[in-house]
Amino acid sequence: MDNERLWPEQIDRLLNWPLGTAARLARQQKLPHYRLPDGSIRFNRDEIEALVVHVRAGQREGEAVN
């Protein structure tokens, strides 16, 4: 998707998370993100999708997911 940038709320909806989860995880440095000069957070869709694929693969292999 050519480095599409998403808002935290879009990530929450995409992953079926409670609203606010993606922003909280970004602040905790647990999700790759970009902070804009105004302080708002954006996510690169490709990075998030790659992370989801990696986590799901680990779950299938029985790895612990933090």
Side-chain angles (χ1 to χ4, degrees), residues 6-61:
L6 301 176
W7 292 75
E9 295 81 10
Q10 290 174 292
I11 297 297
D12 291 337
R13 284 192 299 271
L14 181 70
L15 298 176
N16 198 30
W17 287 348
L19 287 178
T21 301
R24 179 178 48 82
L25 292 173
R27 286 191 301 272
Q28 295 172 349
Q29 302 300 311
K30 294 182 178 181
L31 275 182
H33 65 283
Y34 300 90
R35 192 164 296 270
L36 300 181
D38 67 358
S40 61
I41 296 170
R42 297 295 183 279
F43 299 89
N44 180 318
R45 184 182 188 109
D46 294 338
E47 289 177 335
I48 298 299
E49 287 178 350
L51 181 62
V52 168
V53 167
H54 176 75
V55 169
R56 286 184 179 156
Q59 288 173 336
R60 282 193 301 270
E61 294 174 11

